Amino acid sequence: MERTMTSQGAGRPEVPSRVDFQVHPDRYRHWRLSCDGPVATLTMDVDADGGLVPGYELKLNSYDLGVDIELYDAVQRLRFEHPEVRAVVITSGKDKVFCAGANIRMLAASPHPWKVNFCKFTNETRNAIEDATAYSGQVYLAAVNGAASGGGYELALACDHIMLIDDRSSAVSLPELPLLGVLPGTGGLTRLVDKRHVRRDLADYFATRAEGIGGRKAVQWRLADEAVPRARWQETVAERAAELAGRARRPEGARGVELTTLDKTRTDGEISYRHVSARLDRGRGVAEITVGGPDTPVPADMAEAAGQGAAFWTLAMTRELDDLILDLRTNEPELGTWVLRTRGDAARVLDCDRLLLDAADTGPDGRAGPDRWLAGEIAGYLKRTLKRLDVTSRSMIALIEPGSCFAGSLLELALAADRSFQLSGVFETAPPNAGDPGADPAAITVGPMNLGPLPMANGLTRLQSRFYGDDVALAEAEKRAGEPLQAADAESLGLVTFAPDDIDWDEEVRIAIEERASFSPDALSGLEANYRFAGPETLETKIFGRLSAWQNWIFNRPNASGPDGALRRYGTGQRPDFDRKRV
Amino acid sequence: MERTMTSQGAGRPEVPSRVDFQVHPDRYRHWRLSCDGPVATLTMDVDADGGLVPGYELKLNSYDLGVDIELYDAVQRLRFEHPEVRAVVITSGKDKVFCAGANIRMLAASPHPWKVNFCKFTNETRNAIEDATAYSGQVYLAAVNGAASGGGYELALACDHIMLIDDRSSAVSLPELPLLGVLPGTGGLTRLVDKRHVRRDLADYFATRAEGIGGRKAVQWRLADEAVPRARWQETVAERAAELAGRARRPEGARGVELTTLDKTRTDGEISYRHVSARLDRGRGVAEITVGGPDTPVPADMAEAAGQGAAFWTLAMTRELDDLILDLRTNEPELGTWVLRTRGDAARVLDCDRLLLDAADTGPDGRAGPDRWLAGEIAGYLKRTLKRLDVTSRSMIALIEPGSCFAGSLLELALAADRSFQLSGVFETAPPNAGDPGADPAAITVGPMNLGPLPMANGLTRLQSRFYGDDVALAEAEKRAGEPLQAADAESLGLVTFAPDDIDWDEEVRIAIEERASFSPDALSGLEANYRFAGPETLETKIFGRLSAWQNWIFNRPNASGPDGALRRYGTGQRPDFDRKRV
């Protein structure tokens, strides 16, 4: 990670000038990843001096964004590089401490946007752990070999099975409320009642008890799945990991795909990769993102795709997009509008989609073959990356122009956007030659990728969310799958928002973008967070929509973050001074 | 309403020292209620000089809490006092203006807790309108006879049918985001996409267009159900109201029950009614609430209960509890913990419950008879009042002591609480005489009221929410219905949190209450809002949990409420000065 610092003004806390999300196990400072056949172990052993920003020590396995970036990297690599791994043990390399959660001095010193962005990323990483357990046949086991407090316990809560060492001192706890005046920020409250079915009054008591609960009572209250005496700890963890690995579904004899270093160039005005680029327009507060379609022939089958490895278009494009989202979210908070374009051959995009979907179908034995698992992993990664877009607090506007390839998986970008514009006809001002890209009117194509494999966090496809409550319109749109739809058709089917022609295009698009930049950024975040998730709610939407919104509010209140608030006074020996009005 | 003012300090806005929620149509300043057979008309005609607090004029049918208190009163009275009414037309008495929403100067000048409490009450009143439509056979029709903006349009969105006058000037709009930098605070965003199924990109565009959308396009986009030319307005409204009334189910030939003035005494230290009382302990920040069971013999049948009218225990107790909740929420924000006790005869509580439930069953024709409708109305009112508890930002602790009557409908109080304590055995220190209330150990009784008729906003009963995901425990508890359960049984069934005996009682309860008062009030609000609603989400839980949390955050941000924020600068001619960082 880059570690250049920037001061935000006198007395203001510091944040890194730029955070890099690209890491590699060889360079981890805080985690050790070891694989032993079907069982991998992720050992958290945080380097106290390895914080992203000076001014705090990462004691007791507490973490900051840098620590979590390594965890995210490990979770990703396990899926792609280790097809043989079926169980992942998360444990601590420290004595008597599993993990103390997010570093409090870091939180106390961070400006509000940094805290919120940090929590969002850590939430996404916890979700990635659950996703790997549910969809990738890599079951996570928390081997809590010491005190797990706050975010430390929340990390365990993301695992499928929680083992707690029973040594009369180790406990799990959520001390945020009594000690810091904030909520556990990484899904803890929601997972307690909605996932682990801890009774709400017990969960209430638990969240007020800073010292936590250990041993048998932790198991009785469902806070952990088993309490294991220290004497039998190692063998029981190994036993349980083997059991979980035995139940998991992963391919036999497959070769992993190495997630090679991304070819990324970053200047002050542009970020570019092989397929994805973004022009950063600070004057207008806009990032103009372009995603390119496959620029080489599509592999004939998954074996050939696997041979391409990380260079296979869907995987390469997804990794680039994922990195770009994280980069812009963290490093460019003032670019409030993301304009989404695509460029390339729609047929090739659809071919790549088909390759993945055909291969991902599991055989009658329910086991994925050597090619199939990879197809599933790639589609799953695309799903998670698009979910990242959905919870991104930026306005997104899709521009569908001649030469674009909003089809199948890339159509999801337009469906994820808050609004879309599709050009009716072609640009008359600079007509291309026939046969050039851009010579034909823009078209979008609904493909099989839009009909199920890429659900949003609410469990619906983006099409289902779009037409929530209007089954007729949904059926009409789905019926046209495979057909390139020009602007008039796409608009009347409700697949795009507006379809101006060349005469109106510039003006309409310009106004939409300029207007967006004139609105309150906070109100936009709230508006989009509410509109993007119509219909049913899930653990994930509850964490991002309900819990995070409350946490953001609390973070912003003087009782937490003011000079006399609990977060700022923690560790000073002074008690916080609360405004006692209940709101 | 009382209108004494209190200054909150130099330069701080003023709020009324105490708000009274008891009003009567004879004294309405802002609404006219008229009934014509099965159709009632509620005409909004706000007295611009009738604000609760000086400093703002309620122009253009804009509203403050006082206006909404009258609306709530009217919705309640229509259900109880007007069994003949089957359709309610909400319209405006002003020319060309339906309603301009919440008064902006009031919002801009109000402190944060006041804004949040105001939004909560207005949300509850909109929900009450939908509840009357769904469960009471009183269908609401919005006759939008002029511009409906912001909260004005949200009021229409709570109605079952929206008619918009088509006069080339009247439009519906949600201008909060572009003009004020906040969200529509009364469920508008959620109702657009989740109730009316407006497509999210159109909803996005709509919420950025301050001037709104009228006429045919409003109907095409589902923002309204019909657009009616001015020339045919009156007759079409009458026609539509008659149609809706014809479809609605209300009793034939029933007599209404007058909601007489509550017998309420309020001093600085106590609020008391006939059955309900609260001791206000400002030193400890606690309201000690006691709800009394029926103190007279239970009526033999619903006809006798109807004869008692507003004096019938369940109705009287519910009205008192409702008023107390509103009073404490609005006037006593520093009493952060509510201790809930009951006192009386559990058998009588269960008898009242049975009376209501037996009578409320509709006959084979699906129509409620003259007694039945009233039983349904009373149970429905209790349901709404308990829901008010669920969304109240106060910690609730139920104390189940000898002499209490936590049975059936009153057991819901303990189930709504964040924690409950049931005394094991009796108080040894001051042993009562045999036969006295308090001589026997405390017991709780699950009754039929706990098994369905009083669902929470999430659609589950409080028992189902409590045992969410643990069907075995739920079945065990339900199986014991009808049986008085002493502390040990209740605790092992999971119906109470703790069951200390006399020796530990005082200490445990004292610590729980004192501890609560020491925590951050904001973090407690967030904790409780997340724990209280496990499981499924509905329009209501989304409005209170997701939308309101975002709105609270935005209200608290400098971009809205700071000196240069949009809310404060509105109408000054100065543009707001935004921190452009997206959070």
Side-chain angles (χ1 to χ4, degrees):
Chain A
M1 275 146 277
E2 297 186 38
R3 314 167 101 261
T4 335
M5 308 304 152
T6 178
S7 171
Q8 300 255 314
R12 285 288 208 73
E14 295 186 299
V15 300
S17 69
R18 191 178 294 162
V19 178
D20 183 355
F21 287 81
Q22 294 300 305
V23 288
H24 189 275
D26 294 345
R27 301 193 309 272
Y28 288 174
R29 295 188 66 167
H30 309 295
W31 292 88
R32 291 193 300 276
L33 172 58
S34 66
C35 296
D36 181 9
V39 175
T41 302
L42 258 172
T43 305
M44 187 177 204
D45 198 356
V46 175
D47 175 356
D49 299 322
L52 268 187
V53 180
Y56 53 83
E57 272 185 281
L58 297 175
K59 288 181 190 164
L60 300 173
N61 261 0
S62 64
Y63 58 83
D64 69 355
L65 181 62
V67 177
D68 227 62
I69 286 173
E70 293 183 3
L71 173 61
Y72 173 58
D73 183 73
V75 173
Q76 278 291 100
R77 286 186 194 275
L78 279 164
R79 294 180 77 153
F80 282 97
E81 301 187 348
H82 297 280
E84 79 286 2
V85 167
R86 292 150 185 261
V88 183
V89 178
I90 295 192
T91 196
S92 160
K94 309 279 186 210
D95 192 34
K96 301 246 174 188
V97 171
F98 176 72
C99 169
N103 186 273
I104 296 163
R105 286 180 185 280
M106 177 277 294
L107 277 181
S110 297
H112 184 64
W114 179 269
K115 280 200 279 273
V116 172
N117 187 62
F118 166 71
C119 286
K120 188 170 286 177
F121 180 75
T122 54
N123 266 312
E124 289 172 320
T125 303
R126 309 301 170 274
N127 290 348
I129 287 174
E130 290 185 326
D131 188 88
T133 300
Y135 301 109
S136 195
Q138 285 186 335
V139 181
Y140 277 72
L141 185 162
V144 180
N145 53 344
S149 39
Y153 178 47
E154 288 176 296
L155 177 59
L157 284 170
C159 297
D160 197 52
H161 189 84
I162 302 177
M163 306 178 68
L164 174 60
I165 197 161
D166 190 2
D167 59 2
R168 294 178 179 277
S169 83
S170 297
V172 298
S173 64
L174 293 177
E176 286 87 343
L177 183 133
L179 297 187
L180 309 173
V182 299
L183 299 186
T186 343
L189 302 185
T190 312
R191 286 201 173 85
L192 279 186
V193 293
D194 277 86
K195 178 184 179 182
R196 295 192 63 87
H197 309 311
V198 175
R199 231 172 59 212
R200 55 169 278 224
D201 52 342
L202 301 177
D204 178 284
Y205 177 75
F206 173 63
T208 62
R209 194 178 154 103
E211 69 275 28
I213 291 178
R216 213 161 43 108
K217 188 179 240 182
V219 179
Q220 273 171 359
W221 285 22
R222 302 177 191 239
L223 302 168
D225 293 295
E226 55 182 322
V228 180
R230 186 170 284 275
R232 287 194 287 112
W233 179 252
Q234 293 296 352
E235 67 180 274
T236 314
V237 169
E239 211 175 278
R240 205 67 71 241
E243 269 173 40
L244 294 177
R247 292 209 312 262
R249 284 182 182 172
R250 288 284 277 179
E252 306 282 356
R255 269 189 51 202
V257 166
E258 192 194 337
L259 299 180
T260 51
T261 307
L262 291 180
D263 180 14
K264 175 179 180 177
T265 314
R266 199 188 199 293
T267 65
D268 192 55
E270 191 159 5
I271 303 174
S272 60
Y273 310 82
R274 168 78 186 274
H275 303 284
V276 176
S277 67
R279 213 170 55 74
L280 316 183
D281 185 339
R282 297 179 200 285
R284 292 189 307 148
V286 172
E288 306 226 31
I289 298 171
T290 304
V291 178
D295 55 0
T296 55
V298 174
D301 53 29
M302 262 320 285
E304 192 185 330
Q308 294 184 357
F312 172 60
W313 176 76
T314 312
L315 179 54
M317 178 277 292
T318 302
R319 290 184 68 207
E320 294 171 6
L321 185 60
D322 191 21
D323 186 71
L324 179 67
I325 295 170
L326 292 171
D327 187 330
L328 290 176
R329 267 191 350 197
T330 307
N331 300 314
E332 304 291 349
E334 303 212 1
L335 302 181
T337 302
W338 291 0
V339 171
L340 304 171
R341 288 188 179 83
T342 59
R343 179 147 300 275
D345 182 347
R348 282 187 175 169
V349 175
L350 293 168
D351 285 346
C352 283
D353 288 356
R354 200 165 301 117
L355 191 66
L356 293 173
L357 294 179
D358 288 352
D361 286 337
T362 48
D365 60 351
R367 283 180 174 269
D371 298 339
R372 296 188 217 139
W373 78 275
L374 180 60
E377 288 298 355
I378 294 172
Y381 185 22
L382 180 58
K383 173 190 77 177
R384 297 194 298 284
T385 302
L386 290 165
K387 282 186 183 184
R388 237 198 248 289
L389 265 190
D390 296 329
V391 298
T392 291
S393 55
R394 300 293 189 281
S395 299
M396 285 180 273
I397 297 178
L399 298 185
I400 303 164
E401 299 166 339
S404 66
C405 53
F406 285 98
S409 48
L410 291 190
L411 178 60
E412 292 292 313
L413 297 174
L415 297 173
D418 300 296
R419 291 184 204 174
S420 52
F421 293 81
Q422 182 170 359
L423 183 73
S424 200
V426 295
F427 289 122
E428 305 288 349
T429 40
N433 297 315
D436 283 2
D440 297 318
I444 63 170
T445 313
V446 173
M449 266 302 180
N450 309 116
L451 306 181
L454 303 172
M456 298 174 61
N458 62 5
L460 306 181
T461 66
R462 282 178 190 75
L463 277 179
Q464 288 167 337
S465 288
R466 186 175 187 82
F467 296 115
Y468 180 70
D470 189 350
D471 294 342
V472 174
L474 175 64
E476 287 293 326
E478 291 187 343
K479 216 164 58 188
R480 305 289 282 273
E483 184 184 334
L485 301 165
Q486 293 188 16
D489 275 354
E491 188 190 26
S492 80
L493 285 165
L495 289 166
V496 299
T497 320
F498 300 112
D501 61 15
D502 175 58
I503 296 169
D504 297 324
W505 178 266
D506 283 351
E507 174 89 348
E508 281 197 32
V509 168
R510 184 183 58 75
I511 288 175
I513 292 172
E514 282 181 6
E515 225 186 36
R516 211 76 182 180
S518 74
F519 296 143
S520 159
D522 306 325
L524 286 171
S525 293
L527 184 87
E528 291 153 7
N530 279 280
Y531 277 159
R532 289 179 188 168
F533 298 96
E537 301 258 344
T538 64
L539 197 70
E540 258 180 84
T541 62
K542 285 174 99 159
I543 288 172
F544 285 115
R546 173 187 277 270
L547 180 60
S548 297
W550 281 104
Q551 176 74 311
N552 292 356
W553 175 70
I554 292 163
F555 270 153
N556 214 36
R557 296 275 295 160
N559 281 340
S561 300
D564 308 325
L567 201 51
R568 298 278 288 279
R569 285 214 169 157
Y570 179 75
T572 64
Q574 283 188 287
R575 293 173 61 87
D577 186 12
F578 291 135
D579 176 347
R580 299 237 54 91
K581 278 191 219 70
R582 282 294 292 255
V583 179
Chain B
M1 275 144 278
E2 297 184 36
R3 314 167 100 260
T4 334
M5 307 307 151
T6 178
S7 172
Q8 303 253 314
R12 286 287 207 73
E14 296 186 299
V15 299
S17 70
R18 192 177 295 161
V19 177
D20 183 357
F21 288 79
Q22 295 300 305
V23 290
H24 188 276
D26 293 347
R27 301 193 310 270
Y28 287 174
R29 293 188 69 167
H30 309 295
W31 292 88
R32 289 192 302 274
L33 172 57
S34 65
C35 295
D36 181 11
V39 175
T41 301
L42 257 172
T43 306
M44 187 177 204
D45 199 355
V46 175
D47 175 356
D49 300 323
L52 267 187
V53 180
Y56 53 85
E57 274 185 280
L58 297 174
K59 289 180 189 164
L60 301 172
N61 262 0
S62 64
Y63 58 81
D64 68 355
L65 182 61
V67 176
D68 227 62
I69 286 173
E70 293 182 2
L71 174 60
Y72 174 58
D73 182 75
V75 173
Q76 278 290 102
R77 286 184 194 277
L78 279 164
R79 293 180 78 153
F80 282 97
E81 301 187 349
H82 296 279
E84 80 285 1
V85 167
R86 292 151 185 262
V88 182
V89 178
I90 294 192
T91 195
S92 159
K94 310 278 186 212
D95 193 35
K96 301 245 175 188
V97 172
F98 176 73
C99 168
N103 187 274
I104 294 162
R105 285 180 185 280
M106 178 276 295
L107 277 181
S110 296
H112 184 63
W114 179 269
K115 281 200 277 273
V116 172
N117 187 63
F118 165 73
C119 287
K120 187 170 288 177
F121 180 76
T122 54
N123 266 313
E124 289 172 319
T125 303
R126 308 300 170 276
N127 290 349
I129 287 173
E130 291 184 325
D131 186 89
T133 300
Y135 300 110
S136 195
Q138 286 186 334
V139 181
Y140 277 73
L141 185 162
V144 180
N145 53 345
S149 39
Y153 178 47
E154 288 177 296
L155 177 59
L157 284 170
C159 298
D160 196 53
H161 188 85
I162 302 177
M163 306 178 69
L164 174 61
I165 197 161
D166 190 2
D167 59 2
R168 291 176 181 279
S169 84
S170 297
V172 299
S173 64
L174 292 177
E176 285 88 343
L177 183 134
L179 296 188
L180 308 173
V182 298
L183 300 185
T186 343
L189 302 186
T190 312
R191 287 201 173 83
L192 279 185
V193 292
D194 277 86
K195 178 184 179 182
R196 295 191 62 88
H197 309 310
V198 175
R199 231 174 59 213
R200 55 168 279 222
D201 54 339
L202 301 177
D204 179 284
Y205 177 76
F206 173 63
T208 62
R209 196 179 153 102
E211 68 276 28
I213 290 177
R216 212 159 45 106
K217 189 180 238 181
V219 178
Q220 273 170 358
W221 285 23
R222 302 178 190 235
L223 302 168
D225 294 294
E226 55 182 321
V228 180
R230 187 170 284 275
R232 287 194 288 111
W233 179 251
Q234 292 296 350
E235 67 181 275
T236 314
V237 170
E239 210 175 279
R240 205 65 73 240
E243 271 173 37
L244 295 177
R247 291 209 313 262
R249 285 181 183 172
R250 286 286 276 179
E252 305 281 358
R255 270 187 52 200
V257 166
E258 193 193 337
L259 298 180
T260 51
T261 307
L262 289 181
D263 180 14
K264 175 178 181 178
T265 315
R266 200 189 199 293
T267 64
D268 192 54
E270 191 159 5
I271 304 174
S272 61
Y273 310 82
R274 170 77 185 274
H275 303 285
V276 176
S277 67
R279 212 169 57 74
L280 316 182
D281 185 339
R282 297 179 202 285
R284 293 188 307 148
V286 173
E288 306 226 30
I289 298 171
T290 303
V291 178
D295 55 0
T296 55
V298 174
D301 54 28
M302 262 320 284
E304 193 185 328
Q308 293 183 358
F312 173 59
W313 176 76
T314 312
L315 178 53
M317 179 276 292
T318 302
R319 290 184 69 208
E320 293 171 6
L321 184 61
D322 191 21
D323 186 71
L324 179 67
I325 295 170
L326 293 171
D327 187 328
L328 290 176
R329 267 194 346 200
T330 308
N331 299 315
E332 305 290 349
E334 302 211 3
L335 302 181
T337 301
W338 292 0
V339 171
L340 304 170
R341 288 188 179 84
T342 59
R343 179 148 299 275
D345 182 347
R348 280 186 176 169
V349 175
L350 293 169
D351 284 346
C352 282
D353 288 357
R354 201 164 302 118
L355 190 67
L356 293 172
L357 295 179
D358 288 352
D361 286 338
T362 49
D365 60 351
R367 281 180 176 270
D371 298 338
R372 295 189 217 141
W373 79 275
L374 179 60
E377 288 298 357
I378 294 172
Y381 185 22
L382 179 58
K383 174 191 77 178
R384 297 194 298 285
T385 302
L386 290 165
K387 282 186 183 183
R388 237 199 248 288
L389 265 189
D390 296 329
V391 297
T392 291
S393 56
R394 300 292 189 281
S395 299
M396 285 181 274
I397 296 178
L399 298 185
I400 303 165
E401 299 166 342
S404 67
C405 54
F406 284 98
S409 46
L410 292 191
L411 178 60
E412 291 291 314
L413 297 174
L415 297 173
D418 300 296
R419 290 186 205 172
S420 52
F421 293 81
Q422 182 170 0
L423 183 72
S424 200
V426 295
F427 289 121
E428 304 289 348
T429 40
N433 298 314
D436 283 3
D440 297 319
I444 62 170
T445 312
V446 173
M449 266 301 181
N450 310 115
L451 305 181
L454 304 172
M456 299 173 61
N458 62 5
L460 305 181
T461 65
R462 281 177 192 76
L463 278 179
Q464 288 167 337
S465 289
R466 185 175 189 82
F467 296 114
Y468 180 69
D470 188 350
D471 293 343
V472 174
L474 176 64
E476 287 293 324
E478 292 188 343
K479 216 164 58 187
R480 304 291 282 272
E483 183 183 335
L485 300 165
Q486 293 188 15
D489 275 356
E491 188 189 26
S492 79
L493 286 165
L495 288 166
V496 299
T497 319
F498 300 112
D501 62 15
D502 176 57
I503 296 169
D504 297 325
W505 178 267
D506 282 352
E507 175 88 348
E508 281 198 31
V509 168
R510 185 183 58 76
I511 289 174
I513 293 171
E514 282 180 6
E515 225 185 35
R516 212 77 182 179
S518 75
F519 295 144
S520 159
D522 305 326
L524 286 172
S525 293
L527 184 85
E528 293 153 6
N530 280 280
Y531 277 160
R532 289 180 187 167
F533 298 96
E537 300 259 343
T538 64
L539 195 70
E540 259 180 84
T541 63
K542 285 173 98 159
I543 288 171
F544 285 115
R546 175 187 275 270
L547 180 59
S548 296
W550 281 104
Q551 177 73 312
N552 293 355
W553 174 71
I554 292 163
F555 269 153
N556 214 35
R557 296 274 294 160
N559 281 341
S561 301
D564 308 325
L567 199 52
R568 298 278 287 280
R569 286 213 167 156
Y570 179 75
T572 64
Q574 283 187 290
R575 292 175 61 86
D577 186 12
F578 291 135
D579 176 347
R580 300 237 54 93
K581 278 191 219 70
R582 281 295 290 256
V583 180

